[in-house]
Amino acid sequence: MTFASALSDASEAARLTALWSMAILDTPAQRDFDEVTRLAALALGGESAAVSLVDDRRAWFKSRICMPATEAPREHAFCTLALDGVEPVVILDTHADIRCIGNPLTLGPDGYRFYAGAPIITRDGHCLGTLCVLDRLPRDEVPPNQLRALADLAGIVVGLIEARRYRQIGEVASQIVDVTSDAILCVDGGGTITFWNRAAEQMFGYSCGQAIGSTLDIILPPAHADAHHGGFRRASAGGRTTLVGKSVELTAKRSDGSEFPIELSLARWRSTEGAYNFAGIIRDASARKMLERERQQAKAFLDTVVDHLPAMLFVKDADTRQYLLVNRAGEELTGWSRDHIVGKTDPELFAHGATYERRDDAAVAGEGLYVSESEFVRPDKAPVTLRTKRLVVDGPSRQREYIVGMSEDVTETRKAQAEVQRLAHYDSLSGLRNRASFVDELDRLIAAEAPFALVSIDLDRFKAVNDQFGHLAGDAVLAQIGDRLRAVATATTIQARVGGDEFAVIVAGAAAVEQARQLAATIAIRLASPIVTPWATVQLGSSVGIALFPEDATTTEELRQHADLALYRAKQEGRGIVCFFSADMDRAARDRRELERDLSVALDQHDITLAYQPVFSADTGQITSAEALARWHHPVRGPIPPDLFISIAEESGLIRQLGARILCLACEEAMTWPHHIKVAVNISPMQIHAGDLCQVVRHILGSTGLAPDRLQLEVTEGLFLRDVDHTFRELAQLRALGIQVLMDDFGVGYSSLSYFERFRFDKVKIDQSFVRQMLSSQASSAIIQAVVGLGRKLGMGVVAEGVETAEQMSALIEAGCTHLQGYLLSKPLRSEEIKACIVNDDRILAVASTDGLQAKAA
C-alpha cells in the first residue's frame, strides 16, 4: 500500500515551489530543529520523532530522533497523508489501518505501529511536511492536549524555517551594509536623483549611471508611489512634512522589483536658486526586522517549551519562597491553576507545605542539584508520588536569586516497579508461581535433600478454547485454573504455571506420596468441572503425572523429565488420568529415543522403502492410482509400524527429511509406471506448517521428471487445527503447480464443511471406520451417502478406503463412490509388484471384486 496526496497538480506545484524557495532541503542539522523534535517526542511519549519535509519524491528529515535513515520514499512516508489538511494525522495502529497495508515501514519487529503528525503550514498556506512522532507500539488513543502540543510545536517549526530563510536574506543584506556603509542619495525638487553612492548601487541594484537622472520611482513600491509623490510635492514646496529631521521606517523597491524595509533619515535644504533639495541616508532595516522577528519567535519558543514540558516546572523567589512561575504540567499535576499558585508559598497552598519548604531550605543551603521524593495529595484526594529536582540559580538582581524546580509524577513508575518485582516470581494470568520461581524452589528442596513429590498437570483441549473462542477466553480459563489450584493448596504445597497450559505442584513433607496421590485426584476432579467465562462455558479436564524425590530422581532436570514422562503416559491412557512415574516409563522413553537415533541413520542410509496400495475406478475396475506407504525394516527389531516411526519423526523434527525422502522415492518409482497412473503421497501437517513444502515438491518434480498432474498429495483434517489461513495458502500454491490435493480419512477428525467452501479438493477419502460399519450402522451408511452427495455436487471424486468384503464393495458402488481401495481388491504391493500389476492391466485382484464390478456394470 502506498500513500498519495489529494492535492491538485496546481496546488502541489505551488507547495513544492514554496518548499524549494525555503532552500532548506539537504542542509546540515540545526540545534533549534533538534530541540523541537526532542520536545515532540517528549510531549507524546514517543520513541521516534522527526521534522519531515516532503518534496516531489521523498520525505527528508531536517531533524530526527531514533530514526536511522535521513529520508524515506514519498509513497511510503506517513506524512504524505497530511499534505492536504490542516489537522494532525493520527494512526493509532498501522497494522489495523487499511491505508498502511504492505507499507515496508510497518513491517518486521522494528516496524512502526503508531504515527502522529502535525502539518507544517507556512503563512501562505502551503504544507511543507509534518512534525511527526512514531512508535513501535500501537496505542488506544492520543489525548487532545498531546495533539495540541504537537500542533504548537509544528507552529514553532514553521517559524524556524521562515526565520532561517529570512536570516539568510538578512545575512546578505548585513554583509552589504558592513562593507559599503549606508546608501546615500540626493534628489532635486522635481524628484530627480542627483547623487547615488556605491552603497546605493549595491542596495538598490542600479548603477550610478542608471540612477542619476532617474526619478525616485525606481525605488518606490508601486503601492506606495502615489502617497510618496503627494508628500514629496508638499515638502518641495516648503510645506510641512513628517519625513524631514527624523528617522522613519518605509518600504523601498530594488531594481528587480523586490521590496524591503528601510530606515530613512531625510534632510531638506534650499538651493541657491531657491528650490528645495533633499538628501537621504538609507539603511537596510531587514536585519533589525529579522532580529525582532527572531526575538518574538524565541520568546514564543521558550513559552512553548516551558508550557509543554511533560514534567512540572516551577520557579520560586529564593528569599520569599513565593512561586513566580508554574507551567501547564504543574497545573495538571497539582490540580491547581497557575493563577492560584503564583504569588503564594507552599504553606499557604498545601497541607504539607512546610515539609516542601524544608526541602527548599536544603537546596538553598547546599550546592548543585538537590533531589527528593515525596507524597502529594491532589484536591481530588488522588495520591501522587513526586520526584523533584531543585537548583538555585543566579538572577538579574543578585546571585542565587531563584529556586528552579522540576517535579515528575513517578506514581505509575513506582507501581510498575512493585509489579515487576511481583512478576519476577508470579505468573500474571494465573497468580501462581512462574516457571523461574518454581525451578528455584525445586533446586532449594533438592539441595536441602527434603523428600517431596512433583505433580505435573496438563490441560486437555485448551488449544481448542484458544482457537475457537480466542485468547481472551483462554486467559480467563487460565485465571480460573489458578483459582482452583489455589483452592486445594495446603501449607506443604507450592503451585505454579510452568508453560502455556502446563501447571505443576510441589507436595513436600514425610507423607508426600499419599498427599500427592489425593491432591492429584482432587485436581483432576476440580479441573474437569465446567469453567464459565464471558465468551463461553468450557469443559477441559486434565492429565496428571507424578515423580518423587529422591526415589525417582536426584536432580531438578531429571525429576522434571520423569514427571513429564508420567504425564505423557497419563495422556496416552486417557483424559483425567493420574499416573506415577515408573522405571518402565524411563525404559520406554529411552527405547523411543533409540528408535529416533536409528531412524535418523535409516534416513541417511536410504533404508526407508515404499509399498503401494492400488486405487481402483468403480466404473472400469482399472487401477487409476496407487498410495505410497512408508516401510522401515530395522536391522535388529525387524519391521517398525509406520504409525510409530512417523510419530517419532514428527516429535523429533525428522518429518521434513522423512517426508522429502518418501516423496522423492514415490516420484522416482512412479516414473517407471504407465503415464496414466498417478501416485498418492501422504503429507504430515508439520510439512505444511514448515512453509517450504511447495519449493520441496517443485524441486523433486523437476529432479525426477514426474509430471505434476501425476502426483496426488493426501492431507488429513488435523492439518487445519492450526493457522488455517496459512494452510489454505500452502494448498493453493501446491494446486497451482498442477498437483491434485486429496482429503484423507474424512469424517474422523475435526471435520468442517467450510473447508470445501474455501478449497476445492480433487478427491475426498471416506475413512475405513465408516466402510467397516456401513452394513450394520445406519449412521455410517448415511454419512457415506452424504459424502458421496457432497462430492458429486462439488465435482470431487470420492474414494472408499478399507474395502474388505464383496458386500461392502457392492454397497459402495451402489452409493456412488467413484474409487475403491482395500484388501479385498489388493493388499499393499512392493514396487516391482505394483509395476507388474499395472503393466499387466490387472483390473480385478479378487473374485469378490469381479462380482461387484460386474454388478455395477449391470
PDB file of all heavy atoms in Angstrom, residues 601-625:
ATOM      1  N   VAL A 601      19.564 -42.473  11.247  1.00  0.00           N
ATOM      2  CA  VAL A 601      20.557 -43.230  10.477  1.00  0.00           C
ATOM      3  C   VAL A 601      19.895 -43.854   9.253  1.00  0.00           C
ATOM      4  O   VAL A 601      20.453 -43.842   8.146  1.00  0.00           O
ATOM      5  CB  VAL A 601      21.212 -44.306  11.362  1.00  0.00           C
ATOM      6  CG1 VAL A 601      22.125 -45.208  10.520  1.00  0.00           C
ATOM      7  CG2 VAL A 601      22.000 -43.663  12.484  1.00  0.00           C
ATOM      8  N   ALA A 602      18.684 -44.428   9.447  1.00  0.00           N
ATOM      9  CA  ALA A 602      17.984 -45.065   8.337  1.00  0.00           C
ATOM     10  C   ALA A 602      17.688 -44.066   7.220  1.00  0.00           C
ATOM     11  O   ALA A 602      17.769 -44.404   6.033  1.00  0.00           O
ATOM     12  CB  ALA A 602      16.685 -45.693   8.846  1.00  0.00           C
ATOM     13  N   LEU A 603      17.359 -42.839   7.579  1.00  0.00           N
ATOM     14  CA  LEU A 603      17.111 -41.821   6.568  1.00  0.00           C
ATOM     15  C   LEU A 603      18.388 -41.479   5.814  1.00  0.00           C
ATOM     16  O   LEU A 603      18.382 -41.343   4.588  1.00  0.00           O
ATOM     17  CB  LEU A 603      16.531 -40.563   7.229  1.00  0.00           C
ATOM     18  CG  LEU A 603      15.065 -40.641   7.660  1.00  0.00           C
ATOM     19  CD1 LEU A 603      14.691 -39.444   8.509  1.00  0.00           C
ATOM     20  CD2 LEU A 603      14.165 -40.729   6.439  1.00  0.00           C
ATOM     21  N   ASP A 604      19.485 -41.371   6.554  1.00  0.00           N
ATOM     22  CA  ASP A 604      20.756 -41.054   5.898  1.00  0.00           C
ATOM     23  C   ASP A 604      21.185 -42.175   4.952  1.00  0.00           C
ATOM     24  O   ASP A 604      21.815 -41.914   3.908  1.00  0.00           O
ATOM     25  CB  ASP A 604      21.839 -40.814   6.950  1.00  0.00           C
ATOM     26  CG  ASP A 604      21.593 -39.541   7.749  1.00  0.00           C
ATOM     27  OD1 ASP A 604      20.862 -38.656   7.243  1.00  0.00           O
ATOM     28  OD2 ASP A 604      22.115 -39.435   8.879  1.00  0.00           O
ATOM     29  N   GLN A 605      20.858 -43.429   5.328  1.00  0.00           N
ATOM     30  CA  GLN A 605      21.275 -44.578   4.518  1.00  0.00           C
ATOM     31  C   GLN A 605      20.201 -45.030   3.527  1.00  0.00           C
ATOM     32  O   GLN A 605      20.338 -46.074   2.893  1.00  0.00           O
ATOM     33  CB  GLN A 605      21.653 -45.736   5.446  1.00  0.00           C
ATOM     34  CG  GLN A 605      22.851 -45.420   6.346  1.00  0.00           C
ATOM     35  CD  GLN A 605      23.200 -46.565   7.280  1.00  0.00           C
ATOM     36  OE1 GLN A 605      22.461 -47.552   7.370  1.00  0.00           O
ATOM     37  NE2 GLN A 605      24.325 -46.430   7.984  1.00  0.00           N
ATOM     38  N   HIS A 606      19.116 -44.275   3.418  1.00  0.00           N
ATOM     39  CA  HIS A 606      18.023 -44.581   2.490  1.00  0.00           C
ATOM     40  C   HIS A 606      17.422 -45.964   2.739  1.00  0.00           C
ATOM     41  O   HIS A 606      17.126 -46.720   1.809  1.00  0.00           O
ATOM     42  CB  HIS A 606      18.514 -44.479   1.042  1.00  0.00           C
ATOM     43  CG  HIS A 606      18.842 -43.092   0.619  1.00  0.00           C
ATOM     44  ND1 HIS A 606      19.346 -42.770  -0.617  1.00  0.00           N
ATOM     45  CD2 HIS A 606      18.745 -41.913   1.288  1.00  0.00           C
ATOM     46  CE1 HIS A 606      19.543 -41.460  -0.691  1.00  0.00           C
ATOM     47  NE2 HIS A 606      19.189 -40.934   0.459  1.00  0.00           N
ATOM     48  N   ASP A 607      17.252 -46.299   4.047  1.00  0.00           N
ATOM     49  CA  ASP A 607      16.660 -47.582   4.409  1.00  0.00           C
ATOM     50  C   ASP A 607      15.137 -47.530   4.429  1.00  0.00           C
ATOM     51  O   ASP A 607      14.491 -48.568   4.655  1.00  0.00           O
ATOM     52  CB  ASP A 607      17.167 -48.024   5.787  1.00  0.00           C
ATOM     53  CG  ASP A 607      18.637 -48.437   5.739  1.00  0.00           C
ATOM     54  OD1 ASP A 607      19.115 -48.732   4.625  1.00  0.00           O
ATOM     55  OD2 ASP A 607      19.285 -48.447   6.793  1.00  0.00           O
ATOM     56  N   ILE A 608      14.552 -46.369   4.242  1.00  0.00           N
ATOM     57  CA  ILE A 608      13.093 -46.261   4.192  1.00  0.00           C
ATOM     58  C   ILE A 608      12.653 -46.609   2.774  1.00  0.00           C
ATOM     59  O   ILE A 608      13.114 -46.006   1.800  1.00  0.00           O
ATOM     60  CB  ILE A 608      12.635 -44.840   4.566  1.00  0.00           C
ATOM     61  CG1 ILE A 608      13.176 -44.441   5.943  1.00  0.00           C
ATOM     62  CG2 ILE A 608      11.115 -44.751   4.538  1.00  0.00           C
ATOM     63  CD1 ILE A 608      12.707 -45.319   7.069  1.00  0.00           C
ATOM     64  N   THR A 609      11.757 -47.587   2.668  1.00  0.00           N
ATOM     65  CA  THR A 609      11.259 -48.007   1.362  1.00  0.00           C
ATOM     66  C   THR A 609       9.764 -47.745   1.288  1.00  0.00           C
ATOM     67  O   THR A 609       9.154 -47.265   2.251  1.00  0.00           O
ATOM     68  CB  THR A 609      11.546 -49.500   1.135  1.00  0.00           C
ATOM     69  OG1 THR A 609      10.876 -50.264   2.158  1.00  0.00           O
ATOM     70  CG2 THR A 609      13.051 -49.781   1.183  1.00  0.00           C
ATOM     71  N   LEU A 610       9.166 -48.094   0.126  1.00  0.00           N
ATOM     72  CA  LEU A 610       7.753 -47.839  -0.078  1.00  0.00           C
ATOM     73  C   LEU A 610       7.031 -49.094  -0.536  1.00  0.00           C
ATOM     74  O   LEU A 610       7.591 -49.927  -1.280  1.00  0.00           O
ATOM     75  CB  LEU A 610       7.534 -46.733  -1.122  1.00  0.00           C
ATOM     76  CG  LEU A 610       8.041 -45.339  -0.778  1.00  0.00           C
ATOM     77  CD1 LEU A 610       7.759 -44.386  -1.932  1.00  0.00           C
ATOM     78  CD2 LEU A 610       7.397 -44.828   0.501  1.00  0.00           C
ATOM     79  N   ALA A 611       5.809 -49.237  -0.061  1.00  0.00           N
ATOM     80  CA  ALA A 611       4.850 -50.173  -0.646  1.00  0.00           C
ATOM     81  C   ALA A 611       3.722 -49.337  -1.217  1.00  0.00           C
ATOM     82  O   ALA A 611       3.558 -48.159  -0.873  1.00  0.00           O
ATOM     83  CB  ALA A 611       4.332 -51.135   0.423  1.00  0.00           C
ATOM     84  N   TYR A 612       2.939 -49.933  -2.134  1.00  0.00           N
ATOM     85  CA  TYR A 612       1.888 -49.179  -2.805  1.00  0.00           C
ATOM     86  C   TYR A 612       0.582 -49.956  -2.763  1.00  0.00           C
ATOM     87  O   TYR A 612       0.554 -51.142  -3.081  1.00  0.00           O
ATOM     88  CB  TYR A 612       2.272 -48.911  -4.265  1.00  0.00           C
ATOM     89  CG  TYR A 612       3.517 -48.070  -4.413  1.00  0.00           C
ATOM     90  CD1 TYR A 612       4.764 -48.676  -4.506  1.00  0.00           C
ATOM     91  CD2 TYR A 612       3.442 -46.692  -4.452  1.00  0.00           C
ATOM     92  CE1 TYR A 612       5.917 -47.917  -4.652  1.00  0.00           C
ATOM     93  CE2 TYR A 612       4.583 -45.921  -4.595  1.00  0.00           C
ATOM     94  CZ  TYR A 612       5.822 -46.542  -4.685  1.00  0.00           C
ATOM     95  OH  TYR A 612       6.957 -45.774  -4.817  1.00  0.00           O
ATOM     96  N   GLN A 613      -0.490 -49.283  -2.348  1.00  0.00           N
ATOM     97  CA  GLN A 613      -1.806 -49.909  -2.396  1.00  0.00           C
ATOM     98  C   GLN A 613      -2.611 -49.261  -3.514  1.00  0.00           C
ATOM     99  O   GLN A 613      -2.835 -48.044  -3.499  1.00  0.00           O
ATOM    100  CB  GLN A 613      -2.541 -49.762  -1.065  1.00  0.00           C
ATOM    101  CG  GLN A 613      -3.844 -50.568  -1.035  1.00  0.00           C
ATOM    102  CD  GLN A 613      -4.444 -50.656   0.355  1.00  0.00           C
ATOM    103  OE1 GLN A 613      -4.231 -49.788   1.173  1.00  0.00           O
ATOM    104  NE2 GLN A 613      -5.166 -51.727   0.614  1.00  0.00           N
ATOM    105  N   PRO A 614      -3.046 -50.093  -4.491  1.00  0.00           N
ATOM    106  CA  PRO A 614      -3.731 -49.511  -5.647  1.00  0.00           C
ATOM    107  C   PRO A 614      -5.091 -48.936  -5.277  1.00  0.00           C
ATOM    108  O   PRO A 614      -5.746 -49.358  -4.321  1.00  0.00           O
ATOM    109  CB  PRO A 614      -3.876 -50.701  -6.603  1.00  0.00           C
ATOM    110  CG  PRO A 614      -2.948 -51.748  -6.085  1.00  0.00           C
ATOM    111  CD  PRO A 614      -2.844 -51.545  -4.618  1.00  0.00           C
ATOM    112  N   VAL A 615      -5.527 -47.972  -6.075  1.00  0.00           N
ATOM    113  CA  VAL A 615      -6.872 -47.402  -6.001  1.00  0.00           C
ATOM    114  C   VAL A 615      -7.535 -47.686  -7.348  1.00  0.00           C
ATOM    115  O   VAL A 615      -6.968 -47.407  -8.406  1.00  0.00           O
ATOM    116  CB  VAL A 615      -6.822 -45.881  -5.735  1.00  0.00           C
ATOM    117  CG1 VAL A 615      -8.233 -45.304  -5.745  1.00  0.00           C
ATOM    118  CG2 VAL A 615      -6.130 -45.590  -4.409  1.00  0.00           C
ATOM    119  N   PHE A 616      -8.764 -48.307  -7.290  1.00  0.00           N
ATOM    120  CA  PHE A 616      -9.441 -48.766  -8.493  1.00  0.00           C
ATOM    121  C   PHE A 616     -10.617 -47.860  -8.834  1.00  0.00           C
ATOM    122  O   PHE A 616     -11.298 -47.326  -7.947  1.00  0.00           O
ATOM    123  CB  PHE A 616      -9.957 -50.197  -8.299  1.00  0.00           C
ATOM    124  CG  PHE A 616      -8.863 -51.207  -8.140  1.00  0.00           C
ATOM    125  CD1 PHE A 616      -8.272 -51.418  -6.896  1.00  0.00           C
ATOM    126  CD2 PHE A 616      -8.409 -51.939  -9.221  1.00  0.00           C
ATOM    127  CE1 PHE A 616      -7.265 -52.349  -6.748  1.00  0.00           C
ATOM    128  CE2 PHE A 616      -7.400 -52.877  -9.062  1.00  0.00           C
ATOM    129  CZ  PHE A 616      -6.817 -53.088  -7.827  1.00  0.00           C
ATOM    130  N   SER A 617     -10.846 -47.704 -10.118  1.00  0.00           N
ATOM    131  CA  SER A 617     -12.024 -46.978 -10.585  1.00  0.00           C
ATOM    132  C   SER A 617     -13.245 -47.859 -10.389  1.00  0.00           C
ATOM    133  O   SER A 617     -13.252 -49.040 -10.773  1.00  0.00           O
ATOM    134  CB  SER A 617     -11.868 -46.612 -12.060  1.00  0.00           C
ATOM    135  OG  SER A 617     -13.104 -46.158 -12.588  1.00  0.00           O
ATOM    136  N   ALA A 618     -14.297 -47.299  -9.805  1.00  0.00           N
ATOM    137  CA  ALA A 618     -15.525 -48.066  -9.597  1.00  0.00           C
ATOM    138  C   ALA A 618     -16.247 -48.317 -10.912  1.00  0.00           C
ATOM    139  O   ALA A 618     -17.058 -49.241 -11.007  1.00  0.00           O
ATOM    140  CB  ALA A 618     -16.443 -47.326  -8.622  1.00  0.00           C
ATOM    141  N   ASP A 619     -15.959 -47.518 -11.911  1.00  0.00           N
ATOM    142  CA  ASP A 619     -16.625 -47.674 -13.204  1.00  0.00           C
ATOM    143  C   ASP A 619     -15.958 -48.746 -14.060  1.00  0.00           C
ATOM    144  O   ASP A 619     -16.612 -49.618 -14.641  1.00  0.00           O
ATOM    145  CB  ASP A 619     -16.610 -46.350 -13.966  1.00  0.00           C
ATOM    146  CG  ASP A 619     -17.620 -45.366 -13.386  1.00  0.00           C
ATOM    147  OD1 ASP A 619     -18.628 -45.818 -12.811  1.00  0.00           O
ATOM    148  OD2 ASP A 619     -17.383 -44.156 -13.510  1.00  0.00           O
ATOM    149  N   THR A 620     -14.613 -48.710 -14.137  1.00  0.00           N
ATOM    150  CA  THR A 620     -13.908 -49.593 -15.072  1.00  0.00           C
ATOM    151  C   THR A 620     -13.194 -50.735 -14.407  1.00  0.00           C
ATOM    152  O   THR A 620     -12.812 -51.712 -15.060  1.00  0.00           O
ATOM    153  CB  THR A 620     -12.879 -48.771 -15.862  1.00  0.00           C
ATOM    154  OG1 THR A 620     -11.866 -48.309 -14.957  1.00  0.00           O
ATOM    155  CG2 THR A 620     -13.533 -47.580 -16.541  1.00  0.00           C
ATOM    156  N   GLY A 621     -12.960 -50.647 -13.101  1.00  0.00           N
ATOM    157  CA  GLY A 621     -12.194 -51.673 -12.419  1.00  0.00           C
ATOM    158  C   GLY A 621     -10.701 -51.526 -12.619  1.00  0.00           C
ATOM    159  O   GLY A 621      -9.926 -52.322 -12.092  1.00  0.00           O
ATOM    160  N   GLN A 622     -10.250 -50.518 -13.359  1.00  0.00           N
ATOM    161  CA  GLN A 622      -8.839 -50.337 -13.606  1.00  0.00           C
ATOM    162  C   GLN A 622      -8.169 -49.570 -12.466  1.00  0.00           C
ATOM    163  O   GLN A 622      -8.805 -48.798 -11.750  1.00  0.00           O
ATOM    164  CB  GLN A 622      -8.634 -49.570 -14.918  1.00  0.00           C
ATOM    165  CG  GLN A 622      -8.975 -50.356 -16.158  1.00  0.00           C
ATOM    166  CD  GLN A 622      -8.745 -49.521 -17.404  1.00  0.00           C
ATOM    167  OE1 GLN A 622      -9.203 -48.393 -17.479  1.00  0.00           O
ATOM    168  NE2 GLN A 622      -8.040 -50.095 -18.359  1.00  0.00           N
ATOM    169  N   ILE A 623      -6.869 -49.820 -12.339  1.00  0.00           N
ATOM    170  CA  ILE A 623      -6.083 -49.060 -11.380  1.00  0.00           C
ATOM    171  C   ILE A 623      -5.871 -47.652 -11.935  1.00  0.00           C
ATOM    172  O   ILE A 623      -5.411 -47.487 -13.061  1.00  0.00           O
ATOM    173  CB  ILE A 623      -4.720 -49.740 -11.128  1.00  0.00           C
ATOM    174  CG1 ILE A 623      -4.918 -51.130 -10.520  1.00  0.00           C
ATOM    175  CG2 ILE A 623      -3.843 -48.874 -10.222  1.00  0.00           C
ATOM    176  CD1 ILE A 623      -3.632 -51.917 -10.390  1.00  0.00           C
ATOM    177  N   THR A 624      -6.215 -46.659 -11.145  1.00  0.00           N
ATOM    178  CA  THR A 624      -6.016 -45.261 -11.558  1.00  0.00           C
ATOM    179  C   THR A 624      -4.872 -44.591 -10.819  1.00  0.00           C
ATOM    180  O   THR A 624      -4.284 -43.635 -11.316  1.00  0.00           O
ATOM    181  CB  THR A 624      -7.298 -44.451 -11.325  1.00  0.00           C
ATOM    182  OG1 THR A 624      -7.613 -44.487  -9.916  1.00  0.00           O
ATOM    183  CG2 THR A 624      -8.450 -45.019 -12.124  1.00  0.00           C
ATOM    184  N   SER A 625      -4.590 -45.088  -9.615  1.00  0.00           N
ATOM    185  CA  SER A 625      -3.505 -44.509  -8.832  1.00  0.00           C
ATOM    186  C   SER A 625      -3.078 -45.512  -7.778  1.00  0.00           C
ATOM    187  O   SER A 625      -3.725 -46.556  -7.597  1.00  0.00           O
ATOM    188  CB  SER A 625      -3.944 -43.199  -8.156  1.00  0.00           C
ATOM    189  OG  SER A 625      -4.986 -43.451  -7.233  1.00  0.00           O
TER     190      SER A 625
END
